[in-house]
């Protein structure tokens, strides 16, 4: 028999590389970013400025616009997408449904595209003389082209449509796997008790999906707070700054404008704070019956 | 199902399918049409696919970008699988209180938004550049290093390892295998489907990664495919046919991987959160 001590040491060896890598490439930069957020200056020449960056943050209209935009995406897009995903998953979970595999594959397909590739496709589809306007006009739904990309309101709508197209199928798969784990006899019993489809959905399906709803809400929230590829490739953040996301603003502060890594790090910490607060809220609402 | 409900279900699913598939269809037909026809709203396939592809390969170094992306994605996938599976195995098989604490700390890294660490990461690699250029800014290694270890994949392997028959390990020990030997000779072959799923997830995310390569890769010859596509799309008078053919070429490998391994892919995505 191999000695317990040796086995124990081997156990640590197996996890050594990721412990080192995650410490070096995730936790260490987190600490660096915190230190950096108290510094300011151009490029690599940075001086300590105390809380100046944090004071600047609250007076920075670009930052406030980016936060507003990001929250508009968050508040509108995430609920719409998740409701849609649950709805489709419930429809697809019906045993009597034909072509189930086909529908599932088709609706999941957007997930395999690269964010950049689909963003560029959407940019052209929603252009002034793009195919979407042409189709809407052919069906006489609109009388003149909508300025999807160049109008501040419609540009946000375009981004929201794009993200919903890309990620609904992804979330749908998680719900579908949860639904398939629910014992059918639960519904059987409810039907005998006279519960209609509505009651079954709200009294059985939704409560049983709760952990998955929590999981997808958190991952979608974190994803939306980091939104970058779509805004950069569909609208470049414009018109004006009307679609700019927080991540894009951090990128601009570091690599587009005169680099101020210190202030960029301060802005990036605002995302960390938002992730923590929103996750805590969601856990409180979603995880109370654990 | 009652009749109206049945009608509604199929109508809704068909609509959702059309919306999901339409951008693909449009992208594919556009890649076969001339730019003018695309702007005219032509939806039927044309005969200009080869012209578009030729234009693409003549105007940008598509081969180089494909090679760069392939190199980065393949190396990332191999390293990820090796490291994450060893860790998932290590955490599940050699359990201890201390390891559980370490595991939870690693999991916390999933909550760290990339936007929050990209500036210090960039500075870190800028510093490395002057000491070991191979790992510094503008190298494939700089793209790979921060992305090859993810807590998600470790979590995924650990979850899957819960179903791994542990008696096999005892039998292996009796036969005189070392602890490392057990992992390579017994665990790895048994967990083939888990590896397949993990490989697809990692390959897709590496192939499609945009923000970090955008920051760290600076010279045109090091560009990956997403960077190239993004540049093509930012031109003033875009050649739609050519750009769409570029997008078809880059989406093809991932779509193909997805269709061939669909079962593993879906199982991999859902199995990890059960």
């Amino acid at each position: 028999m191999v000695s317990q001590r040796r086995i124990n040491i081997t156990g640590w060896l197996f996890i050594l590389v990721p412990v080192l890598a995650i410490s070096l490439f995730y936790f260490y930069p987190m600490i660096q970013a915190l230190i950096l957020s108290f510094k300011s200056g151009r490029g690599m020449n940075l001086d300590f400025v105390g809380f100046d960056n944090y004071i600047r943050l609250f007076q920075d209209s670009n930052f406030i616009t980016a936060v507003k935009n990001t929250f508009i995406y968050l508040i509108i897009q995430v609920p719409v997408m998740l409701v849609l995903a649950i709805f489709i998953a419930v429809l697809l979970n019906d045993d009597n449904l034909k072509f189930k595999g086909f529908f599932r594959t088709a609706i999941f397909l957007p997930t395999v595209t690269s964010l950049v590739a689909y963003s560029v496709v959407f940019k052209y589809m929603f252009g002034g003389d793009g195919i979407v306007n042409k189709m809407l006009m052919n069906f006489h739904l609109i009388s003149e082209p909508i300025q999807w990309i160049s109008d501040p309101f419609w540009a946000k709508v375009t981004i929201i449509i794009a993200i919903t197209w890309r990620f609904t199928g992804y979330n749908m798969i998680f719900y579908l796997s949860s639904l398939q784990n629910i014992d059918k006899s639960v519904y059987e019993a409810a039907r005998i008790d006279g519960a209609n489809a509505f009651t079954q959905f709200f009294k059985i399906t939704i409560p049983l999906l709760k952990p998955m709803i929590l999981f997808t809400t958190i991952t979608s929230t974190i994803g939306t707070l980091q939104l970058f590829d779509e805004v950069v490739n569909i609208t470049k953040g414009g018109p004006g700054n009307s679609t700019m996301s927080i991540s894009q603003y951090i990128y601009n502060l570091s690599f587009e404008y005169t680099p101020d890594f210190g202030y960029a790090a301060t802005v990036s910490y605002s995302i960390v704070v938002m992730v923590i607060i929103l996750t805590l809220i969601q856990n409180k609402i979603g995880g109370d019956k654990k | 199902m009652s009749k109206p409900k049945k009608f509604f279900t199929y109508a809704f699913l068909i609509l959702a399918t059309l919306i999901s598939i339409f951008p693909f269809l449009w992208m594919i037909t556009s890649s076969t049409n001339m730019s003018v026809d695309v702007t005219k709203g032509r939806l039927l396939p044309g005969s200009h696919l080869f012209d578009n592809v030729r234009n693409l390969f003549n105007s940008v170094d598509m081969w180089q970008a494909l090679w760069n992306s392939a190199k980065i994605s393949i190396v990332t996938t191999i390293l990820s699988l090796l490291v994450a599976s060893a860790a998932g195995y290590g955490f599940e098989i050699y359990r201890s209180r201390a390891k559980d604490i370490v595991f939870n700390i690693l999991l916390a890294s999933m909550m760290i938004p990339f936007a929050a660490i990209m500036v210090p990461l960039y500075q870190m690699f800028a510093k490395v550049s002057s000491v070991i250029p191979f790992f510094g800014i503008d190298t494939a290694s700089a793209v790979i290093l921060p992305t090859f270890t993810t807590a998600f994949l470790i979590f995924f392997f650990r979850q899957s390892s819960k179903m791994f028959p542990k008696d096999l390990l005892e039998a292996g020990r009796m036969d005189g295998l070392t602890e490392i030997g057990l992992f390579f000779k017994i665990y790895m072959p048994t967990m083939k489907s888990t590896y397949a799923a993990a490989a697809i997830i990692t390959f897709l995310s590496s192939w499609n990664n945009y923000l970090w390569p955008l920051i760290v890769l600076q010279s045109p010859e090091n560009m990956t495919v997403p960077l190239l596509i993004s540049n093509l799309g930012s031109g003033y008078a875009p050649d739609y046919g050519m750009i769409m053919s570029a997008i078809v070429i880059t989406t093809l490998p991932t779509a193909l991987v997805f269709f061939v391994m669909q079962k593993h892919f879906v199982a991999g995505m859902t199995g990890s959160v059960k």
Side-chain angles (χ1 to χ4, degrees), chain A residues 7-8 21 27 98 103 105-106 108 113-114 116 123-124 134 165 170 173-174 215 226 229 233 254-255 279, chain B residues 10 17 19-20 24 39 94 99 105 111 114 119 149 208 210 230 233 240 244 258 262 265 269-270 273:
Chain A
I7 289 184
N8 199 20
F27 293 120
K98 287 186 185 110
F103 287 131
T105 306
F108 183 75
T113 58
S114 105
V116 173
K123 178 167 94 177
Y124 296 141
K134 290 223 164 75
W165 179 82
Y170 173 80
I173 288 290
F174 288 109
F215 174 81
Q226 302 196 64
D229 303 23
N233 287 295
S254 314
F255 305 105
T279 308
Chain B
Y10 282 104
T17 301
I19 293 173
S20 296
F24 289 99
T39 29
Y94 305 95
K99 285 196 199 76
I105 295 174
M111 299 285 293
F114 181 75
V119 172
T149 322
N208 293 334
Y210 177 60
S230 175
Y240 296 109
M244 289 307 143
F258 170 67
Q262 209 198 125
F265 191 87
M269 306 248 307
T270 53
V273 286

Side-chain angles (χ1 to χ4, degrees), chain A residues 1-2 6-8 10-15 17-19 21-22 24-30 32-33 36 43-44 46 84 87-88 91-92 94 96-99 101-117 120-125 129 131 134-135 165-166 170 173-174 177 181 212 215 218 222 226 228-229 232-233 236 247 250-251 254-255 261 264-265 268-269 271-272 275 279, chain B residues 1 5 8-10 12-14 16-17 19-24 26-27 39-41 43 83 86-87 89-91 94 96 98-99 102 105-106 108-126 145-146 148-151 154 170 173-174 179-180 183 204 208 210-211 214-215 226 229-230 232-234 238 240 243-244 247 250-251 254-255 258-259 262 265-266 269-270 273-274:
Chain A
M1 286 288 336
V2 190
R6 237 187 75 197
I7 289 184
N8 199 20
T10 329
W12 285 104
L13 279 179
F14 277 109
I15 62 177
V17 177
V19 168
I22 290 180
L24 188 62
F25 298 119
Y26 287 83
F27 293 120
Y28 174 72
M30 275 291 280
Q32 280 297 313
L36 210 52
M44 292 290 189
L46 296 159
L84 206 57
F87 189 64
I88 297 172
L91 293 185
L92 285 180
D94 194 317
N96 300 318
L97 188 78
K98 287 186 185 110
F99 314 115
F102 169 74
F103 287 131
R104 194 189 59 204
T105 306
I107 295 167
F108 183 75
L109 199 59
T111 308
V112 306
T113 58
S114 105
L115 299 186
V116 173
V120 174
V121 171
F122 268 67
K123 178 167 94 177
Y124 296 141
M125 277 175 43
D129 56 357
I131 192 76
K134 290 223 164 75
M135 285 171 76
W165 179 82
R166 173 63 165 68
Y170 173 80
I173 288 290
F174 288 109
S177 78
N181 286 338
M212 202 51 98
F215 174 81
I218 290 176
I222 297 179
Q226 302 196 64
F228 180 83
D229 303 23
V232 169
N233 287 295
K236 287 194 190 125
S247 289
I250 299 170
Y251 178 83
S254 314
F255 305 105
F261 290 139
S268 74
Y269 251 78
I271 297 193
V272 177
V275 167
T279 308
Chain B
M1 275 195 284
K5 194 190 161 200
F8 173 77
T9 303
Y10 282 104
F12 186 84
L13 287 175
I14 290 168
T17 301
I19 293 173
S20 296
I21 290 182
F22 181 76
F24 289 99
W26 184 72
M27 160 185 120
T39 29
K40 278 185 195 149
L43 275 174
V83 166
Y89 173 84
F91 278 120
Y94 305 95
S96 70
K99 285 196 199 76
V102 173
I105 295 174
L106 293 192
S109 72
M110 280 168 74
M111 299 285 293
I112 298 177
F114 181 75
I117 55 173
M118 67 189 190
V119 172
L121 270 183
Y122 173 78
Q123 286 189 314
M124 197 160 124
F125 282 94
L145 278 177
F148 83 94
T149 322
T150 59
I154 298 171
E170 271 317 309
R173 279 194 188 111
M174 296 293 185
E179 293 301 306
I180 308 283
F183 173 71
L204 283 180
N208 293 334
Y210 177 60
L211 180 51
L214 176 69
I215 293 171
I229 300 265
S230 175
L232 279 180
S234 65
Y240 296 109
I243 295 173
M244 289 307 143
I247 292 177
T250 50
T251 313
T254 52
F258 170 67
F259 274 116
Q262 209 198 125
F265 191 87
V266 175
M269 306 248 307
T270 53
V273 286
K274 265 179 200 162

Side-chain angles (χ1 to χ4, degrees), chain A residues 48-106:
Chain A
F48 266 99
V49 290
F51 284 96
D52 282 7
N53 287 333
Y54 287 90
I55 295 163
R56 179 176 165 192
L57 200 62
F58 291 100
Q59 297 160 347
D60 179 353
S61 61
N62 284 340
F63 171 71
I64 292 166
T65 307
V67 172
K68 265 190 202 152
N69 293 342
T70 306
F71 272 85
I72 290 173
Y73 299 138
L74 199 66
I75 292 165
I76 298 172
Q77 196 270 330
V78 173
V80 167
M81 172 180 67
L82 295 184
V83 168
L84 206 57
I86 294 176
F87 189 64
I88 297 172
V90 170
L91 293 185
L92 285 180
N93 195 41
D94 194 317
D95 281 336
N96 300 318
L97 188 78
K98 287 186 185 110
F99 314 115
K100 210 185 291 186
F102 169 74
F103 287 131
R104 194 189 59 204
T105 306

